[in-house]
Structure formats: structure tokens, C-alpha cells
Amino acid sequence: MNNSTVTHAKIKRTVIELVQGDITEQDVDAIVNAANNTLLGGGGVDGAIHRAAGPGLVAATKKLGGCATGDAKISGGYNLKARHVIHAVGPMYRVGDPNSPKLLASTYRRSLEVAAQNEVKTIAFAAISTGVYRYPLGESAKIALQTVCDFVSAKNSIKLVRFVLFTEEALAEFQGALDTMTRERDDLNYA
Ligand code: ADP
């Protein structure tokens, strides 16, 4: 499955891209996996990434010693086109819990920090926590885009941030959140 429906926006020197596609096929420096605390693989996008990367990936993540919710750790990409996988652990969504948005923002921020520390210039995110962890897509999109925009506007090292949305619905929700954010932020514009 190739990427389809691409939207570009620009903030400072960073391009923000929305595509509908499969994250395992992305030709970027790092892809961000929606992992669980064990980092040993699971269902959803995590399972797809482990299958595509091959057994080298789980051998590597075994050595990482798990990961706290809201944090991220990096490994090699093995059989993937991407040189690195950033394993990010988003929160399970709980209605009305103020920790859910804080933890989701932290997950995106820590992924970007780990990327910047490892000279990653191009990065692709899955929609963290929006599957089995049930985070509402629209709310997650707002947090994801806001956290990425705040990070790249303060620190210019990452050139491309691509959100790889698996479904038409996810793409539409991210598109709606990006529309709103381009109206709210002077530094973010459609390219
Ligand atoms: P979580 O446990 O963090 O909710 P999931 O893997 O269940 O993680 O889902 C996260 C998101 O990843 C969902 O929006 C799901 O549709 C999406 N997804 C599943 N497979 C892929 C894939 N191959 N590429 C990109 N996104 C995917």
C-alpha cells in the first residue's frame, strides 16, 4: 500500500505531512511505534512493525528493559527501510482523566527528543493510543500536532514530521485538527 492523500504544512523549516498509509513502508530515518510497556511486541501497529522488521527487532527491544508510559526508547530498524524504530508508549484513554492528555503529549515530546538526540531528520508517527488504547482520534490529533509544532518551532533539527494514518477516518480527523491549528498559529501554514 503506497501513501495516498498527502497534505503538507510548514512550520519554520519543518514540513508537517499527513498521509494515509502503512507505517512499516515509510522511507524515513525513524518510524515511531505505538508500543506497550514491555516493548516486546503486541497487536495493531506494534505487531505489524515487528513482523516487517524481522526477529532482530525483538532481540533488540528485549535489551531495552521496558518503557514507562509517556516515554520512548530507540532501536535499529532491521529489515525496515527506516534506520531506527522509536518505541513510544502512549496512555490508555480514561474519560475525564487529566493525566491522559498529559501522558499523550509526553509520549510525542519524548519521541521527538529521542529522535533529535539520534540525528533523526525525517520521522513518521503512527496515531499513538488511538487503537486498542481507545484515545479519541480528534483529541489525539490536536495533542499530537500541538506537541510537534511546539517542539519544532523551538528546536529546528527535524526536517520532516509525517503522520501515517491507517484509515480514512484517522486521516480526516488529523486533517481537521491541522486546519484548526493553521488558523490558530501564525507560524504554521499550508505549504
Ligand atoms: P495503541 O495500543 O497505542 O492504541 P494500536 O496499534 O492499537 O496502538 O493503534 C494505534 C493506531 O495505529 C490506530 O489508529 C491503528 O489504526 C493504527 N495502525 C494499525 N496498523 C497500522 C499500520 N500498519 N500503519 C500505521 N498505522 C497503523
Side-chain angles (χ1 to χ4, degrees):
M1 180 167 73
N2 291 319
N3 293 340
S4 61
T5 326
V6 182
T7 304
H8 295 274
K10 211 155 181 211
I11 176 161
K12 296 224 172 138
R13 280 177 297 168
T14 303
V15 172
I16 311 278
E17 214 173 75
L18 307 183
V19 305
Q20 189 179 351
D22 182 339
I23 199 160
T24 64
E25 295 173 2
Q26 304 302 310
D27 193 359
V28 286
D29 294 339
I31 62 170
V32 182
N33 181 17
N36 59 41
N37 296 118
T38 69
L39 301 186
L40 299 179
V45 71
D46 197 4
I49 289 172
H50 275 270
R51 278 193 299 280
L57 185 60
V58 78
T61 57
K62 266 183 193 151
K63 295 184 187 141
L64 294 176
C67 184
T69 303
D71 200 1
K73 292 189 177 177
I74 194 166
S75 74
Y78 299 88
N79 298 340
L80 296 165
K81 288 183 198 153
R83 203 152 35 88
H84 302 287
V85 178
I86 296 173
H87 305 269
V89 184
M92 217 174 278
Y93 182 71
R94 290 194 177 82
V95 184
D97 182 349
N99 281 324
S100 294
K102 283 186 198 149
L103 285 168
L104 188 61
S106 167
T107 308
Y108 278 97
R109 195 164 43 245
R110 286 291 304 135
S111 300
L112 293 161
E113 283 168 4
V114 168
Q117 283 158 8
N118 287 274
E119 258 121 70
V120 166
K121 303 286 176 212
T122 59
I123 186 168
F125 280 95
I128 297 166
S129 288
T130 63
V132 172
Y133 284 0
R134 305 184 68 84
Y135 217 104
L137 276 165
E139 280 180 53
S140 90
K142 215 166 110 180
I143 292 165
L145 288 166
Q146 195 150 9
T147 307
V148 165
C149 286
D150 289 346
F151 185 89
V152 299
S153 86
K155 196 173 188 328
N156 248 323
S157 67
I158 299 175
K159 290 188 170 56
L160 171 73
V161 180
R162 178 182 294 157
F163 290 93
V164 183
L165 292 326
F166 204 48
T167 62
E168 228 169 273
E169 187 199 357
L171 178 67
E173 292 287 353
F174 270 71
Q175 181 70 72
L178 186 61
D179 281 348
T180 307
M181 211 153 292
T182 54
R183 287 193 296 273
E184 287 172 356
R185 291 183 76 115
D186 291 340
D187 56 354
L188 177 70
N189 294 291
Y190 281 119

